Amino acid sequence: MTHTLRYRGRFAPTPSGPLHLGSLVAALGSYLDARAVGGQWLVRIEDIDPPRCPEGAADTILRQLEAFGLYWDEEVRWQHCRYDAYQRALDQLIIQGLAYPCSCSRKQWQAFSVYPGWCREGLSSTTNPVAWRLRSDLAKRPIAWQDRLFGCQQFDPETLGDVVLKRKDSLWAYQLAVVVDDAEQGITDIVRGVDLLDNTPWQRQLQTALNLPTPRYLHLPLVVSNDGQKLSKQNKAPALKESADGIRQQLFQALQLLDQAPPKALAQEPPDIQLNWAVAHWSLEHLAATAHRPFQPEP
Ligand code: GLU
């Protein structure tokens, strides 16, 4: 008997500020991909880096999702409650010889494009605080997978370097936390921006090492401003407008940016009507693999 895993997707924002149009496109893409097959859609707040996460930002994000009609299943998962699980995963990697402590400072290896692995065979200094890094040189290579939009991907992990799993200041790094939580939450499908495509090899290496299932991946083209910059919090992308008109217009724009060709009249409809249409018509074939798409603000 064949057993098909029930689709479980997620949106996993870092609460470093309110959602903008670029993050709405990522949230909407993962929501539609899940709902179009009757799957579940979860929200996880990736708040492992408190200095980057202003007070109240996570609540703002959750409120914005609701305002756009993007209701999630189950309870919101908060990464700040999961440190023990990340430590257990790191311990497992240490036992396997796949994680090592590193005392080098960025300044010491600034002449190299990636950290050259000096501490792999032992700490170069015993007085500095240590970060924990992944042995990318011990991964099976190449790391290859099929992206649902961008097609066959192949990376030599060593060229990406020994990514940090736990920082010198004891904060957990994204790569380890995301892998542990995606597995623990039974995520079958990851839909996110293509800026994270080259993070996927580390995540796949970690899944293999920790004996976790590997989800399917769909990376979405990024929304860029007219001057070619990624819409991001660092580039001061404006927060989503939350007036009723603003919501209708931005949701419609997000559907256009996902190449779903929504009928013009849909732009006047409230979120539930727009989303019902979009779930019924979700098409990956329409979504073109152009790594960047310029966003033209409405006049
Ligand atoms: N937390 C990451 C971000 O906001 C996304 C993580 C993911 O989707 O894997 O960029």
Side-chain angles (χ1 to χ4, degrees):
M1 198 181 86
T2 52
H3 175 72
T4 339
L5 263 184
R6 178 105 198 267
Y7 185 117
R8 274 168 76 83
R10 56 34 164 209
F11 176 54
T14 300
S16 51
L19 298 180
H20 48 76
L21 188 67
S23 33
L24 176 65
V25 166
L28 181 62
S30 67
Y31 174 90
L32 294 177
D33 198 55
R35 296 304 194 212
V37 293
Q40 292 168 318
W41 186 67
L42 314 184
V43 171
R44 182 172 68 233
I45 299 291
E46 302 212 317
D47 55 348
I48 39 175
D49 188 351
R52 267 185 66 209
C53 302
E55 184 87 30
D59 293 335
T60 302
I61 290 176
L62 296 174
R63 199 196 61 231
Q64 288 176 309
L65 290 173
E66 286 178 333
F68 280 80
L70 300 171
Y71 298 104
W72 54 90
D73 297 308
E74 302 178 8
E75 299 226 323
V76 172
R77 171 64 62 102
W78 299 79
Q79 285 195 324
H80 75 261
C81 301
R82 300 272 302 146
Y83 297 165
D84 290 351
Y86 308 148
Q87 187 62 54
R88 282 195 296 276
L90 179 61
D91 291 343
Q92 236 177 297
L93 295 167
I94 295 170
I95 291 168
Q96 296 177 68
L98 289 175
Y100 64 95
C102 169
S103 56
C104 298
S105 69
R106 179 82 217 220
K107 213 162 161 213
Q108 286 172 289
W109 56 273
Q110 64 187 359
F112 300 80
S113 58
V114 298
Y115 175 65
W118 292 325
C119 289
R120 281 175 187 162
E121 306 304 336
L123 283 173
S124 56
S125 145
T126 46
T127 49
N128 297 346
V130 297
W132 287 85
R133 289 181 181 274
L134 177 66
R135 289 282 301 245
S136 60
D137 59 321
L138 299 182
K140 175 180 127 311
R141 67 189 64 179
I143 293 185
W145 76 96
Q146 191 70 23
D147 186 87
R148 289 172 57 207
L149 184 62
F150 286 88
C152 179
Q153 303 296 316
Q154 273 204 13
F155 287 85
D156 178 346
E158 212 174 350
T159 61
L160 298 170
D162 292 356
V163 76
V164 169
L165 303 171
K166 189 176 189 180
R167 294 170 17 177
K168 281 185 182 167
D169 55 11
S170 290
L171 291 180
W172 290 99
Y174 158 64
Q175 309 296 344
L176 184 67
V178 77
V179 160
V180 170
D181 284 337
D182 281 334
E184 206 271 337
Q185 294 188 279
I187 301 300
T188 59
D189 284 81
I190 291 177
V191 181
R192 61 186 179 192
V194 71
D195 54 330
L196 292 169
L197 184 82
D198 63 0
N199 285 227
T200 311
W202 288 309
Q203 295 172 21
R204 293 191 66 103
Q205 184 187 350
L206 287 168
Q207 285 153 358
T208 309
L210 296 167
N211 208 10
L212 301 173
T214 48
R216 298 192 305 164
Y217 288 91
L218 164 57
H219 286 91
L220 298 170
L222 292 183
V223 182
V224 297
S225 59
N226 287 336
D227 58 2
Q229 299 268 342
K230 177 192 162 193
L231 285 195
S232 69
K233 287 155 201 160
Q234 290 88 322
N235 293 332
K236 307 248 177 317
L240 292 171
K241 290 179 261 177
E242 290 183 58
S243 62
D245 264 0
I247 288 172
R248 281 197 281 268
Q249 181 225 324
Q250 294 162 109
L251 191 55
F252 186 78
Q253 208 160 39
L255 289 173
Q256 289 179 315
L257 287 164
L258 287 167
D259 293 329
Q260 299 302 295
K264 230 172 159 220
L266 203 65
Q268 311 309 323
E269 300 291 349
D272 56 331
I273 307 277
Q274 292 202 29
L275 291 175
N276 283 346
W277 180 90
V279 167
H281 293 85
W282 173 242
S283 162
L284 208 52
E285 286 72 50
H286 287 173
L287 185 55
T290 12
H292 295 101
R293 53 197 50 203
F295 143 69
Q296 306 290 343
E298 295 286 301

